């Protein structure tokens, strides 16, 4: 997945907002909370997303995936797809959708209602 494809997918996933911050990273949010980040790798596009506890144990064993720099070191369950082979496009889309759902579930009932989710 290219960074343009990543941005297009995140834009269409639901009610989201996009900002560019942290050294030109594409940061996608729902209700003001981050669910996906595109950027931060030197040799290829890198994609960072929130995962479940189980996925956080399993995914770093796959080539091209690691606990997300900065976020995981602070106890957060985030994974970064940073090197080849990494995830295929369909798998990455599934993880981005799951990340969106995890973050949305953590929003207040009032905020979810405001967003129509």
């Amino acid at each position: 997945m290219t960074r343009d494809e990543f941005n297009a997918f995140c834009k269409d996933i639901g009610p989201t907002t996009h900002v560019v911050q942290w050294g030109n990273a594409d940061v996608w949010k729902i209700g003001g909370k981050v669910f996906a980040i595109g950027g931060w790798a030197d040799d290829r596009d890198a994609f960072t997303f929130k995962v479940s506890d189980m996925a956080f144990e399993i995914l770093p064993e796959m080539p091209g995936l690691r606990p997300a720099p900065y976020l995981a070191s602070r106890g957060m369950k985030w994974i970064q797809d940073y090197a080849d082979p990494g995830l295929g496009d369909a798998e990455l889309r599934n993880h981005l959708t799951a990340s969106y759902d995890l973050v949305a579930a953590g929003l207040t009932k009032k905020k979810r209602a405001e967003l129509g989710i």
Side-chain angles (χ1 to χ4, degrees), residues 1-13 16-19 24-29 34-39 45-50 78-79 81 89 92-93 95-97 99:
M1 179 178 289
T2 67
R3 201 155 165 183
D4 288 341
E5 291 168 333
F6 165 82
N7 285 326
F9 182 78
C10 289
K11 179 181 178 187
D12 291 338
I13 204 168
T16 62
T17 56
H18 172 255
V19 295
N24 200 33
D26 289 299
V27 180
W28 287 91
K29 301 178 182 186
V34 176
F35 76 91
I37 303 166
D45 292 325
F47 306 109
T48 304
F49 47 90
K50 186 173 184 163
W78 287 72
I79 293 291
D81 179 342
D89 289 357
L92 180 56
R93 284 190 295 273
H95 284 290
L96 292 171
T97 300
S99 179

Side-chain angles (χ1 to χ4, degrees), residues 28-103:
W28 287 91
K29 301 178 182 186
I30 175 170
K33 305 289 185 182
V34 176
F35 76 91
I37 303 166
W40 293 352
D42 295 329
D43 58 338
R44 82 187 262 291
D45 292 325
F47 306 109
T48 304
F49 47 90
K50 186 173 184 163
V51 295
S52 68
D53 291 344
M54 184 183 298
F56 190 74
E57 296 298 321
I58 296 168
L59 290 175
E61 301 296 323
M62 297 176 63
L65 302 180
R66 66 182 174 195
Y70 182 77
L71 297 167
S73 68
R74 281 149 180 78
M76 297 181 233
K77 307 292 193 219
W78 287 72
I79 293 291
Q80 186 177 69
D81 179 342
Y82 74 101
D84 291 329
L87 297 170
D89 289 357
E91 267 187 303
L92 180 56
R93 284 190 295 273
N94 287 341
H95 284 290
L96 292 171
T97 300
S99 179
Y100 175 91
D101 291 342
L102 282 169
V103 174

